[in-house]
Every structure is written in structure tokens, then in C-alpha cells.
Amino acid sequence: MPGFSAEGFAGPAKWTGARGWGRAAAAAELSLLLFAADARADEALRGVDAPLATSAGLASIQAAVIGMAVLIVAFAAMALFHLASRRAWARRVGEMEAELAGAAARVDRAALIVRSDPQIVIAWDRPDAEPSIEGDFTVVAGAPAPRSVLSFALWLEPETAARVEEAVSRLLTRGEAFCLPAVSLRGRHLEIGGRPVSGSAVVRVRDVSGDRLEATRMREKVAETEASTNAAKLALAEAAILAWGRDSDGRLVWCNAPYARAVEAADENAAVDQSAELFDPGLRREAATALGQTGIWRRRAGAVVGGERRTFEVAEVVSANGAAGVAYDVSEAASLKAQMERNDDDYSRMIDRLSTAVAIFDKSKRLTFYNPAYAQMWSLEPAFLETHPTDGEILDRLRTKRQLPEQADFRAWKTQLMEAYQAPDPSETVWYLPDGRALRVVTSPNPKGGVTYLYDDATQSYALASQVTALTHVQGETLDALKEGVAVFGADGRMKLFNPVFAEMWGIDPARLADHPHIDAIIEGCRALCREPASWDGLRGVVVGLHEHRASLSARIERVDNLTLECATLPLPDGATLLTFLDVTASANVQRALTERNEALVAAEKLRNDFVNHVSYELRTPLTNIIGFTQLLAAGGVGPLNPKQLEYAGFITNSSHALLAIIDDILDLASIDAGALELRVEPVDVAEAMRAAAAGVQDRLDEASIELRMVITDGVGAFAADGRRVRQVLFNLLSNAINYSEPGQTVTLAAMRRTDEIVFKVSDRGRGIPSEMIDRVFDRFETFPNGSRHRGPGLGLSIVKAMVELHGGRVLIDTAPGEGTTVTCIFPVEPAMTVAGAEDSGRAAAKPTMAR
């Protein structure tokens, strides 16, 4: 089969190796091959022997031909499929070769570009893969090898290297692009940028010196400007300041949210679309004119916002592409300023009325304000003060007038005073002036600079404070020296003050009392020492009770240790309460003994009075009988008596009369003590009463050879009294004077009227009464012989004093040893209706019944 020789595929081999043939040429080639195969088959059939062309042979030949045809068709199909595949592969190879050539060209161009610019490119296919580094390594001078380029700290400042490392890390892990300016250690300006590219990460280090550096700087400035502008817009959007921008034609192109709210627009864009203006057209024309002339418009203008008239401080300036403006709502500030001006006026008028001297200096140390008290205090002329002198000039003038405190170094003192202009806080000093005044000087720095001086005359205050301090020390020392325990509790019931005696008396630690304990804590510690624990309840009620009227309280506390304390409370004006505890154990014992003794004395006196009353009345009846029978015997009624019997009868009569007088005196005193003595008041002639008393002592005068001289002044007249008691008083006084007079002496009885009083005086020239006896001369049963010829029971002067006082009068005695005695009895012309006749010994008051 010559058609299947190797030469038969030479053509196709050459065809398949050819490039650029089309699909039509391949189909023509295949047709030619099929035609050649059919021709060769016919030649084979014609060369067969005729004898063999039987039916059987023909059948076998036909079968062989059909098989050959099928084989040829299959081979042709395989050849066609193979040819088609070869052509597709050839086409793809051609395309890939073209792409490879293009890629090589692009790589060559990229390498050319990379080499044409001083830069380094670092690329990572994966974050954990080794990067490829290409470029000019002189950009990062100091890096010995390409791999060292990744050690940024070798050629960058530490802070910059840290930022670059952090940016590269974010690029590799998160895919975040970055662009950072940097300066190498050699001073070269670099731009380090990185970004993800097709699943890889690329970092480029570029040298931006020269024009590129300037462009980078310009970009940085533009970025900073845009950031600042955006920040300013954000700040203006959130601030309470109204802001807007205009184009060159004056149309509104931007505004912030406060501006939109002020013009009642939905938002900023709506305000711009509506060209909503805040101010009226007149103000806008004024603004346009000012912007055209000076490039700036500034004024305070009013606008209606939210139905309310508001005042704004407006400023609008011309910009490169239009104008920009801001407006700040100063309505409240304007109102406050007006109010402040009114307050300043009120403040000035108020300061002018102050007694405290006030002077205000500005930051240049010149006087800007003063009140009349300041000029009056320093005697400065208003004409001088109106020239606004400096602080130093005023001090110099005051020093010349010797009105400042004496200073050893006035310049240093003045310099120290001027330091107040730089001081942050006020200061207070005291100036002691040569004229004796003490001034409290307060120096207060002003917020706007300068100083305010306040001069207050504290002379009296410091004097009072000194006195109070001294008094406080004296009171403290006094309390500490007292023998009484003293404690002061405040209105809250806590102890405010105590002395050592109180702590010692109740056995309480002074350190505990110094912590100001409550009275309940004090009571808990002191209650166990009291026999009656409830004794402290009353004291507690006075200290912490809510009383409508605060009153003092006195109580006696008996303690289990046999101490007796006298406790007293005293409300203090500040709501506090003073408690005092006095140890009266000794005095209580004495008082108890005295009480018992007094009770015994009262009982004894009552017994004595009862005895005197009974004895007096029992003695008077038989004594009257004795006197009567003696007089009967002396008169010879029962027969004549011899001279001796008559003498004895006379003695009996005299002794009986004396005894009767004593008994009468005792009865009178008993009646006075019992309040049963009755005065029968009647007009008493003074002269007649004196003569009756003199007649009663005539026998004693004759017996003692004593002369009685009576002196009655003119107009003495009469007065209302009990005549018998007046005569009794005069009789007792004359008897007493006769008893203490020497023979040949004179006793004087005088009477005079003095306004509404009658004065009786009985004088003698006897030995007088010693000073130690004067206080007892009017006591009952007290007798002082002192040279007296007659010693009575000691009731005469007691009767005198009692009778005079019953009439509402008084008795005076004037005596001196060796010079005699003068007793003065003063009776009221009209006696009182009730008279106290009780003695201090406890006898009842005598209230005699007055009878006319």
C-alpha cells in the first residue's frame, strides 16, 4: 500500500509545520488524499485475475474493499481531528508568544521607568513570602544590601522608622495603603508609599528632592489646608456661631447648621438653595458697599430669629473667590452689659455711702475711682484726686503729711506694697498711724489689672478684740481657779467648755471631755455615783429640752461616797446651758446641825414663851394682892404700925411695883411676839407725855441727885399714837439714863417736830456704852452693869425698840465711852396700819389692831 508510505505524510508533516494556513487549505488537502485513495483502490481491483472473478471471490474482494474504505475513513477522521488540535495549539502558542513578547516589552519599559527615577520597589506575593527588592539603593545610603532596606531604623529616624514599620505591617495584614513623607539619616527627602496590587503588596521608596520635593510639600500644605478647612467647617457646624460663604457675585454658597436654623431652613443645603439671608436688604447693601471699599464689614446688627429680636456681632471679609462671614449672638451679652452698667452705677452710689474708704487703681497704678470716705480719711483734696494721681504719688503726699505708719525704710515698704499689683490673691494688713488710729487695709488685685484698696478704721474693733482676748484669758483662768465644777453644754447637747474641777469631781478623763461628748454620755458615767440616779434627768431636760421659756434649776445631789453637791443650771444667751457643781458636804453637815439646833431653839423659845406667859399671868394676880394688902397695912386700915413696920411695908410696896413693872414688860413682849398687842391710837400731846414720863421717874431723880432737863421746841404739838405706850417708852429711856448717870449730872429729854415725824431724844453724860455692846443693847435679857446703880432684867431698851417699831418708827443710838449716850426715837405723825414686829429668831410678825 504505497499510499501509506512515509513519503505520503511528508506533505502533511510539512503542512503541519507550516504557520499561517487557514481552515480552507486543510479541507482541500484532505479531499486530495481521499481522491488518491479511491484511485489506487480501482487500480488494485483491475489487476485481479479473471478466473477469480467469481461470485465468491467478488464478495471477498468487496468485503476487503469496504473494510479498507472504513479504515481509510477512520484514519481520515483521526487525521482531521489531529490537524484541528495542532492548529489550535499552534494558535495558542502564537498568542502566548505574543503576550510574552508584550510582557517582556512592558517589563523592559517598567525597568526603564524604575531605573529612570531614583527609587526602590519592594513587592510581596504573600505576607509570609520573601519580598523582591529592585531599584536604586543609593536612595537609602547606608544600607549595605538590598535586604537591609527593610531595616528602616538603619536609614530613618527612630520615630519615622516606627511609623513606617507600622504602616507596612497594616499593608501586609489588612491591605491598607499609605503614603508617608520621611527624611533619611543623610538628609534626603523621601516619599514612602505602599498599596496592594493584584493580590500582592508593593512598597515604593522615592527620592522627592527638587521639584518633586516642592510638589510633595505643596501637596502636604494642600492636605493640611483642606484638613484645617474641613475642621473649621466642622467646628463652625457645631458651634453657636453663624457662618456662611459667598461667591464673587455675592450669592450664598455655604452655611453652617446654626445659620440654617436662624433663617428657619430645613438644613444647610436648603438654606443655600433658597438664598436665605439673615439680615435685611439694607444691611446687605451696606455690607456689599463696605466689602467693595475696604474688604471687610464689621458692625453690631439686629435680626429676627425665631420670632424674637436678637443682636449679633457680625464680621464679613472678602476672600479669593468671594466672601466669608460669621455672626455671634450677643443679645445676652448686650443685656448683661446694660445690666452691668446699671449695677456699676448702683455699686458706685453704694460705695459712696460706705464708711469704709475705697480706692481703685488701674494697671498703670493710676487712681480711677474713690469714694468720699477715702478723701475724708486721708484729708486729700478732690482737685488733687481728680487728676488721677499714681499710687506712689499719693503715698508720697501722705508720708509728707505724716499720715502713714512710721517706717525705717520707706522705699522698701513702698516697693513691698506695690507688689500687690502682681499678687494673685488679696492680702490684709494693719496700719498703725501716728495719730493713734489702727486701719485694716485690704489689698485686692483686679481681674483687669490694678488694685482695689479698702481702708477700715478698726481702732475700736482692735481695742475691743484685745479686751475680749484679755477677758477670755481672765475668764479661763478664773474658771480653772474656781472650786466649783463648771461645764457648758451647747444647744445640741454637746459639751463646749469645762474646768479641771468638774473632771476631777466626777472622775472623768479630761481627754474624753475634750472630744465634746454628749450629755447622755456624761450622764451614763455619772449616774452610778448618785444615790438617786434620776437626779440627772432634770439636768438633762434643762440642757436638751425644748422649753418655751428657759429657766434655771437648782438641785442637790447626794452621792454614794457621802459627798453632797449643790448643782445649778443657768441658760446662756447663745442657747447653751451652764452647769455648776459645788461641793457643799461640809456646809450641808453644818446646815443640818444648825437646822436641828434651830428647831431645838424654836422649841425652847416656844417653851420659854409659854412659860413666861403662864408664869407672868400666874405671878401678876398674887402680886397685885400683895401690893393691895401692903398698901392697906401701910394706911393703917387694920391697925397702926410702928415705924419699922411702915418702913418694911414701903420696901414691900416698892419691890412689888418693880416686880409688877417687870411682869408687865414681859407680858408686853410676849404679846408682841404673839402678834396680839393692840395699840390704841389717839392724839397724844407731846409735852403732856413728856411731863407724865418725868413724873414717873421723879423719885429716882431725887434719890440719885440727878437733874432732869426737858426741851420742847415750838410747834411740836401732838401726833397720833398710843399715849400709854409713848409714856412707857419715855419712862424706860429716862430710867435707863438715870441708871447710868452719876450724881449731880443732868439727863435731857427733848422733843421736836421734823416735817411728818416727831423726834424724842434722851441724853445722859454717863460712862457710855462700849462698842462691843452696842449691837446687843436692844436684845432681851441683856444687862450691862458698866457702873449702873440699878441692874434690871434687861428688857427696857427691848420694850422701847419694839414699841417704837410698832408705831412705824425707828430707834437710833449714839454713844461713846466716857461721853454719854443719846437715844433717839422717831415716831411718824400718822403711824402705819400694819407693822412687822417679828424678830429674826423666827417669831411671828405682830400685826396690832389700830384703835382711835
Side-chain angles (χ1 to χ4, degrees):
M1 293 177 57
F4 293 94
S5 61
E7 290 82 1
F9 284 94
K14 294 179 181 179
W15 171 75
T16 55
R19 295 181 179 179
W21 286 20
R23 183 171 295 179
E29 185 73 17
L30 180 59
S31 299
L32 290 174
L33 288 175
L34 291 175
F35 180 78
D38 291 338
R40 290 175 181 173
D42 291 338
E43 290 177 357
L45 290 175
R46 282 191 300 267
V48 178
D49 293 338
L52 295 177
T54 62
S55 57
L58 182 60
S60 59
I61 293 173
Q62 290 178 349
V65 171
I66 293 170
M68 182 64 69
V70 171
L71 180 62
I72 292 172
V73 172
F75 180 77
M78 291 177 62
L80 290 175
F81 176 75
H82 178 69
L83 290 175
S85 299
R86 290 287 300 274
R87 289 177 180 175
W89 292 342
R91 186 171 61 255
R92 179 59 181 163
V93 168
E95 292 176 356
M96 292 180 66
E97 289 178 352
E99 290 179 0
L100 180 61
R106 289 195 296 272
V107 169
D108 292 340
R109 286 195 299 271
L112 180 62
I113 294 172
V114 169
R115 294 190 185 92
S116 65
D117 195 14
Q119 61 182 345
I120 299 175
V121 178
I122 307 170
W124 287 268
D125 294 336
R126 295 188 311 277
D128 56 348
E130 287 293 327
S132 61
I133 304 173
E134 297 290 341
D136 185 3
F137 297 107
T138 60
V139 173
V140 291
R147 181 63 181 167
S148 300
V149 174
L150 296 178
S151 300
F152 301 108
L154 295 177
W155 48 279
L156 291 176
E157 295 291 340
E159 295 181 359
T160 306
R163 289 199 305 271
V164 173
E165 289 179 357
E166 182 180 0
V168 171
S169 176
R170 289 198 302 269
L171 173 64
L172 295 176
T173 56
R174 303 178 185 177
E176 295 182 4
F178 68 91
C179 182
L180 298 175
V183 179
S184 67
L185 295 178
R186 297 296 182 89
R188 301 185 69 172
H189 291 271
L190 307 174
E191 181 184 69
I192 303 175
R195 62 191 181 91
V197 179
S198 300
S200 300
V202 178
V203 174
R204 184 171 64 171
V205 181
R206 299 177 58 196
D207 186 356
V208 293
S209 301
D211 294 340
R212 291 180 179 177
L213 176 61
E214 186 66 24
T216 301
R217 290 177 177 175
M218 292 299 295
R219 286 195 297 272
E220 291 177 358
K221 290 183 179 180
V222 170
E224 292 177 358
T225 303
E226 289 180 352
S228 300
T229 303
N230 294 332
K233 288 184 177 181
L234 291 175
L236 290 174
E238 298 298 331
I241 301 175
L242 282 66
W244 63 89
R246 302 181 185 279
D247 58 11
S248 57
D249 296 331
R251 289 189 299 272
L252 189 68
V253 295
W254 175 84
C255 68
N256 63 348
Y259 183 94
R261 289 193 297 268
V263 297
E264 300 180 358
D267 55 15
E268 297 91 325
N269 295 329
V272 172
D273 295 339
Q274 298 170 6
S275 298
E277 294 292 344
L278 178 64
F279 303 105
D280 56 38
L283 290 175
R284 287 305 315 150
R285 287 191 296 272
E286 177 186 340
T289 302
L291 292 175
Q293 295 176 352
T294 62
I296 184 171
W297 176 59
R298 177 181 295 169
R299 65 162 294 175
R300 179 167 292 186
V304 178
V305 176
E308 182 180 356
R309 188 71 177 180
R310 310 292 292 178
T311 302
F312 293 90
E313 191 72 35
V314 188
E316 190 169 353
V317 296
V318 174
S319 62
N321 55 354
V326 293
Y328 182 71
D329 190 350
V330 295
S331 302
E332 185 175 357
S335 176
L336 291 176
K337 182 178 180 181
Q339 184 177 358
M340 184 177 295
E341 292 176 352
R342 292 192 298 270
N343 291 339
D344 288 342
D345 295 339
D346 297 339
Y347 175 73
S348 300
R349 288 193 296 269
M350 180 185 67
I351 291 180
D352 289 341
R353 295 186 180 93
L354 287 178
S355 59
T356 301
V358 180
I360 301 177
F361 293 84
D362 59 12
K363 59 183 178 180
S364 62
K365 302 181 182 179
R366 287 193 171 275
L367 181 67
T368 59
F369 177 82
Y370 68 93
N371 64 346
Y374 177 79
Q376 182 179 1
M377 174 176 287
W378 298 112
S379 301
L380 296 174
E381 300 82 3
F384 170 71
L385 296 176
E386 292 299 331
T387 61
H388 304 290
T390 63
D391 197 353
E393 293 173 352
I394 294 177
L395 291 176
D396 292 338
R397 172 169 287 203
L398 295 179
R399 183 194 180 195
T400 304
K401 298 168 64 176
R402 298 192 75 253
Q403 290 183 311
L404 292 179
E406 298 294 340
Q407 301 294 333
D409 189 349
F410 177 77
R411 179 173 297 178
W413 179 78
K414 181 178 177 181
T415 302
Q416 182 180 2
L417 189 64
M418 295 301 165
E419 293 176 357
Y421 286 88
Q422 288 79 32
D425 300 319
S427 61
E428 180 177 342
T429 56
V430 179
W431 291 2
Y432 296 96
L433 304 184
D435 57 2
R437 290 182 298 169
L439 297 184
R440 186 175 67 92
V441 182
V442 177
T443 307
S444 177
N446 297 332
K448 296 182 179 180
V451 166
T452 298
Y453 289 100
L454 302 177
Y455 302 92
D456 191 8
D457 190 349
T459 306
Q460 186 175 4
S461 300
Y462 282 105
L464 292 176
S466 177
Q467 293 177 4
V468 169
T469 303
L471 182 60
T472 302
H473 289 299
V474 171
Q475 288 178 347
E477 296 294 334
T478 303
L479 287 178
D480 292 343
L482 286 178
K483 294 183 179 180
E484 295 178 324
V486 178
V488 177
F489 293 89
D492 57 353
R494 292 192 172 274
M495 177 169 285
K496 302 298 183 184
L497 179 66
F498 69 95
N499 65 346
V501 178
F502 175 82
E504 181 180 358
M505 181 178 292
W506 291 102
I508 305 175
D509 186 6
R512 179 187 172 194
L513 297 178
D515 293 336
H516 307 292
H518 196 270
I519 188 173
D520 292 337
I522 301 297
I523 292 175
E524 289 299 326
C526 299
R527 195 187 296 272
L529 297 175
C530 302
R531 291 182 180 176
E532 296 182 3
S535 303
W536 274 91
D537 294 341
L539 301 179
R540 183 185 183 281
V542 174
V543 173
V544 300
L546 299 176
H547 306 286
E548 183 177 358
H549 300 289
R550 304 179 66 205
S552 58
L553 174 67
S554 297
R556 177 165 289 188
I557 299 177
E558 300 287 343
R559 300 205 334 186
V560 295
D561 53 359
N562 296 324
L563 287 180
T564 302
L565 302 180
E566 192 73 31
C567 176
T569 65
L570 178 65
L572 300 179
D574 60 349
T577 304
L578 172 68
L579 270 66
T580 60
F581 297 88
L582 178 63
D583 187 354
V584 294
T585 304
S587 60
N589 294 334
V590 172
Q591 182 180 2
R592 190 179 299 109
L594 290 176
T595 301
E596 295 173 355
R597 182 181 178 187
N598 186 63
E599 292 175 354
L601 290 175
V602 170
E605 184 178 4
K606 183 178 183 300
L607 181 61
R608 184 196 66 182
N609 292 336
D610 294 342
F611 172 77
V612 169
N613 291 335
H614 286 83
V615 170
S616 297
Y617 282 106
E618 293 297 330
L619 289 177
R620 187 168 187 167
T621 300
L623 185 59
T624 303
N625 293 333
I626 292 172
I627 293 174
F629 285 118
T630 302
Q631 291 176 350
L632 181 61
L633 290 175
V638 293
L641 300 177
N642 57 34
K644 196 67 172 178
Q645 291 174 339
L646 287 174
E647 182 180 0
Y648 288 159
F651 289 154
I652 293 172
T653 302
N654 291 336
S655 298
S656 299
H657 280 293
L659 182 58
L660 182 60
I662 293 173
I663 292 173
D664 288 340
D665 289 342
I666 293 174
L667 290 176
D668 288 341
L669 290 175
S671 299
I672 293 173
D673 291 341
L677 182 63
E678 180 179 352
L679 294 180
R680 298 185 178 276
V681 179
E682 59 185 359
V684 177
D685 185 84
V686 176
E688 182 63 27
M690 293 174 64
R691 286 191 291 270
V697 296
Q698 188 61 45
D699 55 345
R700 295 188 183 186
L701 292 172
D702 294 340
E703 182 182 355
S705 300
I706 294 175
E707 179 183 358
L708 176 62
R709 185 166 66 93
M710 290 192 298
V711 179
I712 303 174
T713 61
D714 296 336
V716 67
F719 68 102
D722 189 334
R724 189 171 70 87
R725 300 302 180 185
V726 173
R727 291 189 294 270
Q728 183 180 3
V729 168
L730 297 179
F731 175 82
N732 288 343
L733 291 176
L734 290 174
S735 298
N736 190 70
I738 293 169
N739 289 336
Y740 289 95
S741 298
E742 297 294 333
Q745 292 183 344
T746 302
V747 175
T748 303
L749 174 60
M752 67 183 72
R753 179 181 289 271
R754 189 168 58 191
T755 60
D756 56 351
E757 294 177 337
I758 299 297
V759 180
F760 293 98
K761 287 190 177 184
V762 177
S763 305
D764 64 71
R765 290 291 181 262
R767 296 183 180 183
I769 302 174
S771 58
E772 65 271 10
M773 299 180 182
I774 292 178
D775 295 336
R776 294 183 294 162
V777 294
F778 293 108
D779 294 345
R780 300 176 185 181
F781 305 106
E782 291 287 346
T783 59
F784 307 99
N786 199 20
S788 172
R789 292 184 304 276
H790 176 73
R791 184 172 182 180
L795 299 175
L797 292 179
S798 299
I799 292 292
V800 169
K801 188 173 186 296
M803 292 301 176
V804 173
E805 290 179 351
L806 279 175
H807 285 81
R810 58 190 184 277
V811 179
L812 306 176
I813 186 168
D814 185 14
T815 183
E819 296 183 2
T821 302
T822 299
V823 180
T824 303
C825 298
I826 302 172
F827 289 87
V829 175
E830 292 292 336
M833 296 304 295
T834 57
V835 182
E839 297 287 342
D840 293 337
S841 61
R843 293 185 292 271
K847 298 183 180 179
T849 302
M850 300 298 173
R852 292 289 181 182

